[in-house]
Every structure is written in C-alpha cells, then in structure tokens.
Amino acid sequence: MDLTNDEITKMYFYENRLLTFVGWPFEEECACTPENMAKAGFIHTPSGNSPDIAQCFFCLKELEGWEPEDDPEKEHKTHSNCNFITLKKPVEDLSVEEFLRLEKERKKFLIKKNCKQAIDKFEEAVKLKRGQIIQTAMGEE
C-alpha cells in the first residue's frame, strides 16, 4: 500500500489543500483566506451555484455560506468532532503509528458518511414504495 500516492493522503499536507482553493471568493483582508482554510483542513469543493463550499478532507464536513470574518479553525471545531483539526503537532512530525491511527479515524468518517448515504437512499426508496402501495390500495377501494 503506497500512502504517498493516494489522492486523499496527499490532502494531509497543507500545500496540497491550498492548491484546491482556485476561485475561492475570499482572498485578502478576510479571516477565511485560502491559507487559513487550508490550515484548518479544508479543501475547496465548489458547485455551480455555491462557489464557497469547503469540505474537511478528513472528517468530510462540508460548510458553505462563509462570511469574510469567519474563522475556519473555529468553524471547523464548532461543526465537527474532527481528529485532524485537534492535532497537537504537524502531520510531518507524526510517527508512522500516529499517522496510521489518524488514518484509521479518517476511514471511520468515510464509512459513516457512506452508511448515512445508503440509509438515506433506502429511506427514500421506502417512502416512494409506500406511496405506490397507498395509491394502489386507494385505487382498489
């Protein structure tokens, strides 16, 4: 397993996160500059009508609606229980064991997100099927 070539693993490093902030609407004289966003673990994940969506590469928390005075680190800590934002030392100074333990926690966030998406999809299908059953039952009365 080559962890250095994995796209997500690259995001552990500030410089790579910073590179994602092309077109970020807050550049200068703001608390949420690309530099501060990247330091707080965020990557820029804009959509067509939301140019200010940022997602933590680690805990996958997405935040949008940024204001110039928003502090990325504070916002991240407020909205997520993220292991990356609470690191006490730079990624470069982690031992292999510490890094692998951290990566295990990141995988847990990914599994939780995937499970939630699957549950949401299932519940939507159930809702649709329930509606069809009710329509069928009403039509037969």
Side-chain angles (χ1 to χ4, degrees), residues 11-42:
M11 292 304 148
Y12 273 99
F13 301 99
Y14 164 80
E15 296 80 14
N16 294 327
R17 292 191 305 275
L18 185 60
L19 290 173
T20 68
F21 282 89
V22 175
W24 181 248
F26 304 100
E27 290 290 333
E28 296 175 15
E29 299 178 26
C30 295
C32 56
T33 61
E35 293 77 15
N36 290 339
M37 296 294 289
K39 284 178 191 168
F42 288 109

Short mmCIF file of all heavy atoms in Angstrom, two decimals, residues 11-42:
data_model
loop_
_atom_site.label_atom_id
_atom_site.label_comp_id
_atom_site.label_asym_id
_atom_site.label_seq_id
_atom_site.Cartn_x
_atom_site.Cartn_y
_atom_site.Cartn_z
N MET A 11 -3.87 15.10 0.78
CA MET A 11 -4.56 16.21 1.41
C MET A 11 -4.18 16.40 2.87
O MET A 11 -4.53 17.40 3.49
CB MET A 11 -6.08 16.08 1.27
CG MET A 11 -6.56 16.25 -0.15
SD MET A 11 -6.02 17.82 -0.85
CE MET A 11 -5.84 17.38 -2.55
N TYR A 12 -3.43 15.46 3.44
CA TYR A 12 -2.91 15.66 4.78
C TYR A 12 -1.95 16.85 4.81
O TYR A 12 -1.72 17.45 5.84
CB TYR A 12 -2.16 14.41 5.27
CG TYR A 12 -3.04 13.39 5.93
CD1 TYR A 12 -3.48 12.27 5.22
CD2 TYR A 12 -3.42 13.52 7.25
CE1 TYR A 12 -4.28 11.32 5.83
CE2 TYR A 12 -4.21 12.57 7.87
CZ TYR A 12 -4.64 11.47 7.16
OH TYR A 12 -5.44 10.53 7.76
N PHE A 13 -1.41 17.19 3.64
CA PHE A 13 -0.39 18.23 3.57
C PHE A 13 -0.98 19.56 3.12
O PHE A 13 -1.67 19.65 2.11
CB PHE A 13 0.75 17.78 2.66
CG PHE A 13 1.38 16.51 3.17
CD1 PHE A 13 1.03 15.29 2.63
CD2 PHE A 13 2.27 16.55 4.23
CE1 PHE A 13 1.58 14.11 3.12
CE2 PHE A 13 2.82 15.38 4.73
CZ PHE A 13 2.47 14.16 4.18
N TYR A 14 -0.69 20.58 3.90
CA TYR A 14 -1.21 21.93 3.72
C TYR A 14 -1.09 22.40 2.27
O TYR A 14 -2.06 22.93 1.71
CB TYR A 14 -0.47 22.88 4.67
CG TYR A 14 -0.64 24.33 4.33
CD1 TYR A 14 -1.80 25.02 4.71
CD2 TYR A 14 0.36 25.03 3.65
CE1 TYR A 14 -1.95 26.36 4.40
CE2 TYR A 14 0.20 26.37 3.34
CZ TYR A 14 -0.95 27.03 3.71
OH TYR A 14 -1.12 28.35 3.39
N GLU A 15 0.06 22.24 1.67
CA GLU A 15 0.29 22.76 0.31
C GLU A 15 -0.70 22.18 -0.68
O GLU A 15 -1.17 22.89 -1.58
CB GLU A 15 1.73 22.46 -0.16
CG GLU A 15 2.82 23.12 0.65
CD GLU A 15 3.15 22.41 1.96
OE1 GLU A 15 2.72 21.24 2.15
OE2 GLU A 15 3.81 23.02 2.81
N ASN A 16 -1.02 20.92 -0.55
CA ASN A 16 -1.97 20.27 -1.47
C ASN A 16 -3.39 20.77 -1.24
O ASN A 16 -4.15 20.94 -2.19
CB ASN A 16 -1.89 18.75 -1.33
CG ASN A 16 -0.55 18.22 -1.78
OD1 ASN A 16 0.07 18.76 -2.68
ND2 ASN A 16 -0.08 17.18 -1.13
N ARG A 17 -3.76 21.00 0.02
CA ARG A 17 -5.10 21.55 0.29
C ARG A 17 -5.20 22.96 -0.26
O ARG A 17 -6.21 23.34 -0.87
CB ARG A 17 -5.39 21.53 1.80
CG ARG A 17 -5.53 20.13 2.37
CD ARG A 17 -6.06 20.14 3.78
NE ARG A 17 -5.31 20.95 4.72
CZ ARG A 17 -4.22 20.53 5.38
NH1 ARG A 17 -3.75 19.31 5.20
NH2 ARG A 17 -3.61 21.34 6.23
N LEU A 18 -4.15 23.73 -0.09
CA LEU A 18 -4.14 25.11 -0.57
C LEU A 18 -4.35 25.17 -2.09
O LEU A 18 -5.05 26.06 -2.58
CB LEU A 18 -2.83 25.80 -0.18
CG LEU A 18 -2.70 27.27 -0.52
CD1 LEU A 18 -3.80 28.10 0.16
CD2 LEU A 18 -1.32 27.79 -0.13
N LEU A 19 -3.79 24.23 -2.81
CA LEU A 19 -3.93 24.20 -4.28
C LEU A 19 -5.38 24.06 -4.74
O LEU A 19 -5.70 24.39 -5.87
CB LEU A 19 -3.08 23.07 -4.87
CG LEU A 19 -1.57 23.25 -4.80
CD1 LEU A 19 -0.87 21.98 -5.28
CD2 LEU A 19 -1.12 24.46 -5.61
N THR A 20 -6.26 23.58 -3.87
CA THR A 20 -7.67 23.39 -4.27
C THR A 20 -8.46 24.69 -4.24
O THR A 20 -9.57 24.73 -4.78
CB THR A 20 -8.38 22.37 -3.35
OG1 THR A 20 -8.53 22.94 -2.03
CG2 THR A 20 -7.63 21.05 -3.29
N PHE A 21 -7.91 25.74 -3.66
CA PHE A 21 -8.67 26.98 -3.48
C PHE A 21 -8.60 27.93 -4.67
O PHE A 21 -8.54 29.15 -4.52
CB PHE A 21 -8.27 27.67 -2.17
CG PHE A 21 -8.90 27.01 -0.98
CD1 PHE A 21 -8.26 25.96 -0.34
CD2 PHE A 21 -10.15 27.40 -0.53
CE1 PHE A 21 -8.86 25.32 0.74
CE2 PHE A 21 -10.75 26.77 0.54
CZ PHE A 21 -10.11 25.73 1.17
N VAL A 22 -8.68 27.39 -5.86
CA VAL A 22 -8.76 28.19 -7.07
C VAL A 22 -10.18 28.76 -7.17
O VAL A 22 -11.16 28.03 -7.03
CB VAL A 22 -8.45 27.33 -8.32
CG1 VAL A 22 -8.65 28.12 -9.59
CG2 VAL A 22 -7.04 26.77 -8.24
N GLY A 23 -10.29 30.06 -7.34
CA GLY A 23 -11.61 30.68 -7.45
C GLY A 23 -12.31 30.89 -6.12
O GLY A 23 -13.50 31.22 -6.10
N TRP A 24 -11.61 30.72 -5.02
CA TRP A 24 -12.20 30.95 -3.70
C TRP A 24 -12.57 32.43 -3.58
O TRP A 24 -11.76 33.30 -3.89
CB TRP A 24 -11.21 30.54 -2.61
CG TRP A 24 -11.71 30.70 -1.21
CD1 TRP A 24 -11.26 31.59 -0.28
CD2 TRP A 24 -12.74 29.95 -0.57
NE1 TRP A 24 -11.95 31.44 0.90
CE2 TRP A 24 -12.87 30.44 0.75
CE3 TRP A 24 -13.59 28.92 -0.97
CZ2 TRP A 24 -13.79 29.94 1.67
CZ3 TRP A 24 -14.50 28.41 -0.06
CH2 TRP A 24 -14.59 28.91 1.23
N PRO A 25 -13.79 32.74 -3.16
CA PRO A 25 -14.25 34.14 -3.18
C PRO A 25 -13.63 35.06 -2.12
O PRO A 25 -13.79 36.27 -2.21
CB PRO A 25 -15.76 34.02 -2.98
CG PRO A 25 -15.99 32.70 -2.38
CD PRO A 25 -14.86 31.82 -2.80
N PHE A 26 -12.93 34.52 -1.14
CA PHE A 26 -12.37 35.35 -0.07
C PHE A 26 -10.85 35.28 -0.13
O PHE A 26 -10.26 34.27 0.23
CB PHE A 26 -12.86 34.87 1.30
CG PHE A 26 -14.35 34.83 1.41
CD1 PHE A 26 -15.04 33.63 1.26
CD2 PHE A 26 -15.07 35.99 1.64
CE1 PHE A 26 -16.42 33.58 1.34
CE2 PHE A 26 -16.46 35.95 1.73
CZ PHE A 26 -17.13 34.75 1.58
N GLU A 27 -10.24 36.36 -0.59
CA GLU A 27 -8.79 36.34 -0.77
C GLU A 27 -8.04 37.14 0.30
O GLU A 27 -7.27 36.60 1.05
CB GLU A 27 -8.43 36.86 -2.17
CG GLU A 27 -8.83 35.92 -3.29
CD GLU A 27 -8.02 34.63 -3.35
OE1 GLU A 27 -6.86 34.62 -2.91
OE2 GLU A 27 -8.57 33.63 -3.84
N GLU A 28 -8.27 38.44 0.32
CA GLU A 28 -7.49 39.30 1.21
C GLU A 28 -8.39 39.98 2.23
O GLU A 28 -9.58 40.13 2.02
CB GLU A 28 -6.74 40.34 0.38
CG GLU A 28 -5.71 39.73 -0.56
CD GLU A 28 -5.05 40.77 -1.45
OE1 GLU A 28 -5.16 41.97 -1.17
OE2 GLU A 28 -4.43 40.35 -2.45
N GLU A 29 -7.77 40.39 3.33
CA GLU A 29 -8.47 41.11 4.39
C GLU A 29 -9.69 40.34 4.91
O GLU A 29 -10.71 40.93 5.25
CB GLU A 29 -8.85 42.52 3.94
CG GLU A 29 -7.65 43.37 3.59
CD GLU A 29 -8.03 44.75 3.10
OE1 GLU A 29 -9.10 45.26 3.47
OE2 GLU A 29 -7.23 45.33 2.35
N CYS A 30 -9.59 39.04 4.91
CA CYS A 30 -10.65 38.16 5.41
C CYS A 30 -10.02 37.16 6.37
O CYS A 30 -8.84 36.85 6.28
CB CYS A 30 -11.29 37.37 4.26
SG CYS A 30 -12.15 38.37 3.05
N ALA A 31 -10.83 36.64 7.26
CA ALA A 31 -10.36 35.57 8.15
C ALA A 31 -10.30 34.24 7.39
O ALA A 31 -9.47 33.39 7.68
CB ALA A 31 -11.25 35.46 9.37
N CYS A 32 -11.20 34.08 6.41
CA CYS A 32 -11.29 32.78 5.71
C CYS A 32 -10.56 32.83 4.36
O CYS A 32 -11.12 32.48 3.33
CB CYS A 32 -12.73 32.34 5.57
SG CYS A 32 -13.82 33.51 4.75
N THR A 33 -9.31 33.25 4.39
CA THR A 33 -8.48 33.23 3.19
C THR A 33 -8.17 31.78 2.81
O THR A 33 -8.29 30.88 3.65
CB THR A 33 -7.14 33.96 3.43
OG1 THR A 33 -6.44 33.26 4.47
CG2 THR A 33 -7.34 35.42 3.78
N PRO A 34 -7.75 31.53 1.58
CA PRO A 34 -7.36 30.17 1.22
C PRO A 34 -6.33 29.58 2.17
O PRO A 34 -6.41 28.40 2.52
CB PRO A 34 -6.80 30.34 -0.19
CG PRO A 34 -7.53 31.51 -0.75
CD PRO A 34 -7.69 32.45 0.43
N GLU A 35 -5.38 30.39 2.61
CA GLU A 35 -4.34 29.90 3.52
C GLU A 35 -4.94 29.43 4.84
O GLU A 35 -4.60 28.34 5.32
CB GLU A 35 -3.29 31.01 3.77
CG GLU A 35 -2.47 31.38 2.56
CD GLU A 35 -3.20 32.29 1.55
OE1 GLU A 35 -4.26 32.88 1.89
OE2 GLU A 35 -2.72 32.39 0.41
N ASN A 36 -5.83 30.22 5.41
CA ASN A 36 -6.44 29.84 6.69
C ASN A 36 -7.38 28.65 6.52
O ASN A 36 -7.49 27.80 7.41
CB ASN A 36 -7.17 31.02 7.31
CG ASN A 36 -6.23 32.08 7.82
OD1 ASN A 36 -5.05 31.82 8.06
ND2 ASN A 36 -6.71 33.29 7.97
N MET A 37 -8.07 28.60 5.39
CA MET A 37 -8.95 27.46 5.14
C MET A 37 -8.14 26.17 5.05
O MET A 37 -8.50 25.15 5.66
CB MET A 37 -9.74 27.68 3.83
CG MET A 37 -10.70 28.86 3.87
SD MET A 37 -12.07 28.67 5.02
CE MET A 37 -13.04 27.42 4.20
N ALA A 38 -7.04 26.22 4.30
CA ALA A 38 -6.20 25.03 4.14
C ALA A 38 -5.57 24.62 5.47
O ALA A 38 -5.48 23.43 5.79
CB ALA A 38 -5.13 25.28 3.08
N LYS A 39 -5.15 25.59 6.27
CA LYS A 39 -4.57 25.29 7.59
C LYS A 39 -5.58 24.57 8.48
O LYS A 39 -5.22 23.73 9.30
CB LYS A 39 -4.11 26.57 8.29
CG LYS A 39 -2.83 27.12 7.75
CD LYS A 39 -2.46 28.41 8.46
CE LYS A 39 -1.32 29.10 7.73
NZ LYS A 39 -1.13 30.48 8.19
N ALA A 40 -6.86 24.89 8.30
CA ALA A 40 -7.92 24.28 9.11
C ALA A 40 -8.39 22.93 8.55
O ALA A 40 -9.35 22.35 9.04
CB ALA A 40 -9.11 25.24 9.22
N GLY A 41 -7.70 22.43 7.52
CA GLY A 41 -8.02 21.10 6.99
C GLY A 41 -9.00 21.08 5.84
O GLY A 41 -9.36 20.01 5.33
N PHE A 42 -9.44 22.25 5.38
CA PHE A 42 -10.45 22.31 4.33
C PHE A 42 -9.84 22.23 2.94
O PHE A 42 -8.73 22.68 2.70
CB PHE A 42 -11.26 23.61 4.43
CG PHE A 42 -12.20 23.65 5.60
CD1 PHE A 42 -11.94 24.48 6.68
CD2 PHE A 42 -13.33 22.86 5.62
CE1 PHE A 42 -12.81 24.53 7.76
CE2 PHE A 42 -14.22 22.89 6.70
CZ PHE A 42 -13.95 23.73 7.76
#
